[in-house]
Structure formats: structure tokens, C-alpha cells
Amino acid sequence: MPSIKLQSSGGEIFEVDVEIVKQSVTIKTMLEDLGMHDEGDNDPVPLPNANAAIFKKVIQWRTHHKDNPPPPEDDEDKEKRTDDISVWDQEFLKVDQGALFELILAADYLDFKGLLDVTCKSVANMVKRKTPEEICKTFNIKNDLPEEGGAQVRKENQ
Amino acid sequence: MDRGSLLPFQLWCPRPFGTYSQNQPRPPSAALKPSACPEPGGGAEPDHGPAHSENTPPALATEVPASQPAPLLSAAAAGDEGRVLLDTWYVIKPGNTKEKVAFFVAHQCGGGSRASSMKVKGHWGSDSSKAKRRRRCLDPTKAPPDPGGREGLAASEEGPASAGEDVDLLSVAEMVALVEQRAALALQSYPRPATPAPVVFVSAEQGGPAKGVGSERRSGGGDCSRVAEAVAHFEAQRDSPPTKGLRKEERPGPGPGEVRIAFRISNGREPRAPDSGLPSGGGGRPGCAYPGSPGPGARAKDKITCDLYQLISPSRDALPSNVEFLLARADEASEGDSPAPARSEDTPPAPPPPPARDCGASGFHVDVVVTGVVDECIFFGKDGTKNVKEETVCLTVSPEEPPPPGQLFFLQNRGPDGPPEPPPADSPATAPGPDDADGTADTSLCRLYRHVSHDFLEIRFKIQRLLEPRQYMLLLPEHVLVKIFSFLPTRALAALKCTCHHFKGIIEAFGVRATDSRWSRDPLYRDDPCKQCRKRYEKGDVSLCRWHPKPYHHDLPYGRSYWMCCRRADRETPGCRLGLHDNNWVLPCNGPGGGRAGREEGR
């Protein structure tokens, strides 16, 4: 199976299957733009916005889901659910907030829609059933709403 | 007070215009003060000093020559045994400046109840060409020569007890030191359960100027009991939670940017029980503002403590968080060994209080208030630069180690062995610097304070910023946040809108719809308001309606039309209060009106 070399922001080079990373729109576009072919090219593809540790995780997730069909396009009428995360993904996403948000950014940069969806759902589950104070505490957000404005917003939305 | 232990000084004044013959000795009194240094030839008159010479001090004895006119200062000196106090309108002959200064200093310090009389000797006679100076004579066997031959001072009257006392001309500094020493001895004479407390600022009470910058004296006055009560009152005020500033009731409170230095002396006259609070009844805390403080019982010795506290912010409302109370940590172990000052002050509410400290004392209290505008920590450091921050100085005066002469108000730090600084409060401004040991070595007044290097504060701030948790949610791009928010129900979105401006703006700007939103997407219904509250849909509207949406029922073509609540047929049924805003038209498929003509849509 042909492979391709990818270089993370830290300079580490990862050799992965082309089929695995070709679902990444970013990598696919980069390969096309750089004129790289999947055979014979030994030059690594630079990924400046992906560090080695997170890139490993991305490759791991993508390797596990390489046989999954590509996700459908977003449908506004389709009900969005967050309780359809697989068990493997739940275990895979049992990381700290920093790693989780790094995965989101890497998935967004590499345009792995499936990984982006599952990571966003995971964050949405962290927000559900929480009060504003709990949300601020969970995500270390400072409530910068003025006292009067905050009360008004609460009144309108509660 | 043991007068015998007092230095044998007495104050006398020359008669007007330089002769003493006009002075009349004071009336006899039961107890005469021993003269510090008997005048030369004082033995001639056992009871009174020499007063019959033109150039000798008046006799302080029972012998009062009737022919002699009453001394000008007799009224003032009448109550003062054994000496004649100087009257301000005495004419001082030209002489050495120091003598004159010492003369008046002695007069100032010469309170009636204090044996701080000073004797300034000199020949003020008209025929004296120069003032003679005599050494202070401490040897009872040595009596200074008495030119007049009749030195009838109290020393001679007292006999051998006063023989050792001698009057000598002292320098100003020495006189001040002597005054301070006498004050310390005087305070020691007060009954105390523990060891005698060092006397501090007694001379200030007596009228001497308090050292330091711009001193301000408490209203305690010279009475120790009143002073103790005033201090107790202060303690009570300090202990009361609303009273953040010190002595607010007693005085208007520190002005903006004022730096206050409070010295306290504990004389043990008003011991405080752990739960009794202050004698004045203020506060129920033990003699310490901090919980877990050692309490008065842990105070092995009465100590002089120094509180340096400073107002960082001019805002008095923010006093709790801005008032910086700098205290020296009371080392319980060291307290027993050495008179480490143990004090505590009120603390800002937010930051954790400093370690427990032994509270200040009853007794004397002097506030040294330095007014001025300060931006931040202002301390009278060595250089007083703006980088000077945070002071915590433990100043102690050991009763066994009286301060050197003239250094009573220049309390020295105990050095590295002294109590460490308290932990910082809530701002880097109060962070103890790494150069604590440096400050401890300073002894001069201007080095009472320590300052922290700016680099240390900067590095510490950077480290704190790195260690604090990051706001990952706020670092995500907006389209990612919209994607996350699109998975949330109405109530979660409503909570997010109440967290911060950023989330609220994203939800409203991008019109994020909740997963359970019941606002119709059909453009025909866009302007259709809510059935109950008449609210129209706006982008990002996640508000909740108090009423459950009612379906509209219309009996076509000519039937009645009415609203139904909760799909109930009864129009009077009150609606649910937890429903969402809804502008959707619902078919009453199962309602009582379901058999009738369908409802009207698109209106």
C-alpha cells in the first residue's frame, strides 16, 4: 500500500498510508497542489499546524475509522444528536481538555470531518445540563457580562 | 517607679538675668528628689541645693529665705520636688547652643510625674565669662565643685543616696536617650504579670517628638490606663469585620495613599483571655486577628510590635483588598526565646490570612501616619523607588535589651533569625521578596521596609499565567464554536449566552438554532409572533416562553376558531410555563376539535 510522509510542526516525520490521509481534504489538496504523487515521492508533506503528539492521535483515529464511509453533509433539517458517539471514540476521547481541543484544531486543520464531528459532540456533551456558572468553571471562562446585562440575559433565556 | 533607680538628674534654672540669688527655692516637700548630681559644695546644705550663690542653682530645700523674692518659676516648680523647672521666660544668657537646647529639652521632658529631670549646669552668672561644662557625675563620691559653696540640691539633702548623683552637661542626643531610658524604666514599674515590657514612646507621651516621619499621637495621652483603653478600643475595632481600616471610629481613617505605622507596646496590664476578647469588650477573638493564632497565652513576653500597613488604593471602599497589613510572623518558638514581635492585623478577605500571629498589646499605641499620595506599595525604603514593594518588618524591642541611647524610635530588625514575613496577600505587591534576609539586616529607620525586585515579580507573574488553566473554548475558531453550539438544546444555548459576551455574540451573529427549537423555518412564519408572549423570532433567539404553545383550531369554513392550550379542549386551561417559543402551527390531530374542519394555516 503506498504511503506518504508527513512532517509535523515539530519536525517529526510520519509515514502513513495514502488512503488513510487522503480523506483529509487538506492533505489531499496539498498533494494535488504540490504535484506529489502517491508513488515514489520521498519528500515529506509539511503540516505546520499539527504537532507530533496530536498528529499521532489523529492518525490513530483515522486508522481505526479507515473503513467507515465518509460522513454525510450537514443537513439543517436533520436532527442533531450527541448521544451517538461510539464506545471506541468515547475511550479515544478520554483525554484532558487541552488534548481534546488540540484534536479539534487538528481535525479542523486537516479537515477530518468525522473526527471534527465526534470531538465537537464530545464538547457539546460537556456543556449540556450545566448552568452558566458551571460552564464557566468547566472551561475556565470569565463571566464578563455586566451585572445588569447578565441578569437581563438570564431573564430572557431562563 | 523607683526613683532611686532614676538617673540623678535634676533640672534647675538660673535666676533671671543670670543670677540665682533672686530665685527662691521651692517650698519644702515631704519627699525630695535626689539631685542627679549634687552641686559643688552641696553638702553644706543637706536638704536643699545651693541657692544662695549668685551663680548657683536655687536651693531645693526647706529653707526658703523669706527675703528672697519668689522665683519666677516657683508656681510651676512648686509641685516638683527637688528642682526648679525652667520657665520659658527665663532669660538664657548667651552660651553654648547645645546647652541651651539641652536646657529646653530637659524642660520639655521634665514632667511632674516623671523623674526625667535633667540638670543643666552652667555658670550663668553675670561675671561668668564662659559656661562651664561638667561631666555627668555618677560617682557618688565625686561631687562637682561648687563655686558658690552652697550647692543645696536635693542630692545633698538626700545624703549619701544622692551623693552619687551628679549633674552634668549632656549632649542633646544623650539627653534624649536618657529621657527614653527613664521612660522605659518608668513603664517597667507598671505591674505586669509577665516580664516588664519595654517602654516605647513613653517619651512621646511625655511630649517628646516621635521619631519617624510625621508622627501622630494617639489620644491616649500620658495616662497608661487611658492608653491601654484606647488600644483596647482599637483592637476591638480592628477585630470587627466591617471595620477594615484601623481605628476608623476613632479617626476618619486613613486617607488615600496614607501609610501608617503603628507601634504597639504590650505591658501586660490588660491580659486578654482567649475568648474574652479585649477588655473594652470589642471583638470576641483572642488577641490575634487571625484564626489559629497563638492567642495571648502564647505571648511569653510583652513585646513591642510594629505594624506597617499601607493603603495601596485610594478607594476606601476597596480597603479590604487594598489595605496591606504587613506583619511580622510570630514565631512561637522564638517568642519564648526572644522578644519577637507578634502582631496581627486585619486581613483582606479574599486572600488567605497570614499565619497566626500574636496580637498586639494593650497599653501604649502611637500611630505614625504619613500622608501622601501613593500609587502602590509605598514604603519608606532605602531608595523609595516605585519598585519598592511590600514590607514586612518585624521590629522588636527586647525588654532585656533596651535600645541604645537615642535609638528608641529606630527599632532594629531582628535579622535573619527573626520572624519571617507573612505570605503574600492577594497581589504581587505584597509578595515577599527573595531578599528578605537583606531587609532584616537593615537597621536604620529608612530600612524598616523591604522591597521586592521587579524582576522577581515579573517572572512570578509569568509563571502564574502559564500555570493557570487556559481558556480553550475561547481559543477555538468561530465556525468550530458554531458547530459545537449546533449540537446543543435551547436551554444549553441559553446558559451559554449567559456566560460571556463572546458566546452570546456568536449565537446571535450566526443565528445558532437549538436542536429542539420550535421556531418555524418557513419564511411565512418568520414574522409570526409567539402565540402567548407575542415575541418575534430573532437570530439567536433561544428565549423560553412561559406558556406552552397552543395549537390554533379553526373550524372551516364557517366554524369557530380558537386557541387551545396543551391540546386541551377547554379554553380556560392554563398553559404550561416551561414551553419554548413556538410560531409553528400545529394540527390538532387528536384534539376534541380534530373531527372538525382543519385549521387555518399560513395566516
Side-chain angles (χ1 to χ4, degrees), chain A residues 76 80 82 98 101 104-105 108 117 120-121 124 128 130 132 139-141 143-146 153-154 156-157, chain B residues 469 471-473 476-477 479-480 483-484 486-488 494-495 497-501 503-504 521 542-544:
Chain A
E76 289 186 353
K80 295 184 177 180
T82 59
F101 285 96
I104 292 176
L105 294 174
D108 179 61
D117 287 345
C120 289
K121 289 180 181 180
K128 281 183 178 179
K130 278 189 170 67
F139 297 103
N140 192 37
I141 296 171
N143 193 331
D144 56 356
L145 288 174
V153 172
R154 287 172 179 268
E156 293 175 353
N157 296 280
Chain B
Q471 299 174 332
Y472 296 105
M473 283 281 282
L476 292 176
H479 67 278
V480 176
K483 190 175 182 67
I484 294 174
S486 63
F487 289 107
L488 296 175
K497 289 183 74 174
C498 297
T499 54
C500 63
H501 276 295
F503 292 163
K504 182 173 181 291
R521 297 175 184 271
V542 292
S543 57
L544 303 175

Side-chain angles (χ1 to χ4, degrees), chain B residues 235 238 264 285 287-290 293 307 327-328 342-346 355-360:
Chain B
E235 296 282 357
R238 182 197 63 196
R264 292 172 178 261
R285 296 158 65 180
C288 184
Y290 298 115
S293 62
D307 291 344
L327 305 171
R343 278 210 42 100
S344 61
E345 279 295 352
D346 194 1
R357 282 165 177 66
D358 192 2
C359 257

Side-chain angles (χ1 to χ4, degrees), chain B residues 116-473:
Chain B
S116 61
S117 60
M118 305 281 292
K119 184 173 182 180
V120 179
K121 293 201 66 179
H123 295 280
W124 299 93
S126 58
D127 58 349
S128 65
S129 58
K130 58 180 180 180
K132 290 187 181 179
R133 298 184 179 179
R134 298 175 184 173
R135 285 188 177 179
R136 177 177 58 184
C137 174
L138 299 179
D139 186 359
T141 60
K142 258 191 209 175
D146 180 13
R150 293 183 295 173
E151 296 293 344
L153 293 180
S156 57
E157 303 166 16
E158 301 287 334
S162 60
E165 301 169 348
D166 191 10
V167 178
D168 194 3
L169 190 62
L170 302 173
S171 65
V172 175
E174 289 175 328
M175 287 188 182
V176 172
L178 285 170
V179 168
E180 294 170 354
Q181 194 171 4
R182 288 186 178 183
L185 294 173
L187 276 185
Q188 289 178 0
S189 67
Y190 282 106
R192 286 187 304 271
T195 57
V199 177
V200 183
F201 304 104
V202 174
S203 60
E205 275 194 331
Q206 294 177 343
K211 304 299 186 293
V213 186
S215 62
E216 175 181 280
R217 188 158 316 161
R218 277 182 65 95
S219 56
D223 189 358
C224 291
S225 60
R226 293 201 300 269
V227 168
E229 291 172 3
V231 171
H233 181 54
F234 157 75
E235 296 282 357
Q237 294 168 4
R238 182 197 63 196
D239 290 345
S240 58
T243 305
K244 294 303 179 179
L246 295 179
R247 299 171 292 281
K248 275 194 174 179
E249 290 76 4
E250 296 183 4
R251 60 172 187 255
E258 283 189 349
V259 177
R260 293 180 181 271
I261 308 171
F263 295 93
R264 292 172 178 261
I265 173 178
S266 167
N267 58 9
R269 293 183 65 206
E270 298 176 354
R272 282 175 284 184
D275 299 328
S276 62
L278 296 170
S280 63
R285 296 158 65 180
C288 184
Y290 298 115
S293 62
R299 295 184 296 156
K301 302 172 184 176
D302 296 324
K303 301 169 183 56
I304 299 175
T305 57
C306 173
D307 291 344
L308 309 175
Y309 52 98
Q310 153 218 336
L311 301 175
I312 295 180
S313 167
S315 170
R316 306 224 179 165
D317 296 333
L319 265 179
S321 62
N322 290 328
V323 174
E324 299 287 345
F325 294 99
L326 311 176
L327 305 171
R329 177 178 300 169
D331 188 358
E332 297 188 18
S334 64
E335 279 186 12
D337 302 333
S338 57
R343 278 210 42 100
S344 61
E345 279 295 352
D346 194 1
T347 61
R357 282 165 177 66
D358 192 2
C359 257
S362 58
F364 193 78
H365 181 100
V366 170
D367 286 341
V368 180
V369 177
V370 180
T371 58
V373 178
V374 297
D375 295 330
E376 287 185 329
C377 306
I378 289 203
F379 296 95
F380 301 99
K382 279 189 281 189
D383 47 4
T385 60
K386 57 185 175 183
N387 290 335
V388 173
K389 298 203 180 267
E390 196 266 328
E391 324 294 340
T392 301
V393 172
C394 168
L395 305 174
T396 61
V397 173
S398 167
E400 292 79 18
E401 302 171 359
Q407 295 296 324
L408 181 63
F409 294 91
F410 294 77
L411 300 178
Q412 300 185 2
N413 202 313
R414 296 189 66 244
D417 298 332
E421 282 185 335
D426 57 344
S427 67
T430 59
D435 53 350
D436 289 347
D438 300 337
T440 59
D442 296 333
T443 58
S444 62
L445 178 62
C446 64
R447 295 176 180 178
L448 286 176
Y449 309 87
R450 287 175 264 181
H451 43 271
V452 179
S453 66
H454 178 71
D455 293 338
F456 169 79
L457 294 175
E458 189 175 351
I459 292 173
R460 193 183 75 157
F461 176 74
K462 290 179 181 177
I463 293 174
Q464 287 176 340
R465 202 167 54 179
L466 290 173
L467 293 177
E468 66 184 11
R470 298 175 61 183
Q471 299 174 332
Y472 296 105
M473 283 281 282

Side-chain angles (χ1 to χ4, degrees), chain A residues 53-59 61 92-93 95-109 112 115-116 119:
Chain A
I54 298 300
F55 190 73
K56 283 182 183 177
K57 292 280 286 185
V58 172
I59 297 300
W61 181 89
F92 176 80
L93 295 176
V95 294
D96 57 284
Q97 272 194 31
L100 177 61
F101 285 96
E102 291 285 343
L103 277 173
I104 292 176
L105 294 174
D108 179 61
Y109 170 68
F112 280 123
L115 179 60
L116 184 61
T119 50

Side-chain angles (χ1 to χ4, degrees), chain B residues 510-567:
Chain B
F510 292 90
V512 178
R513 293 179 60 90
T515 54
D516 57 350
S517 174
R518 300 180 69 168
W519 289 103
S520 174
R521 297 175 184 271
D522 195 315
L524 295 177
Y525 306 116
R526 187 175 302 164
D527 296 332
D528 188 19
C530 174
K531 294 180 177 57
Q532 297 303 318
C533 65
R534 316 305 296 173
K535 182 179 177 64
R536 295 179 182 272
Y537 174 76
E538 295 176 356
K539 286 179 65 178
D541 188 345
V542 292
S543 57
L544 303 175
C545 183
R546 292 185 303 161
W547 298 94
H548 199 80
K550 294 192 306 183
Y552 179 77
H553 180 80
H554 186 188
D555 295 333
L556 294 175
Y558 302 105
R560 5 172 232 170
S561 301
Y562 55 88
W563 296 99
M564 292 194 301
C565 179
C566 299
R567 296 185 176 275

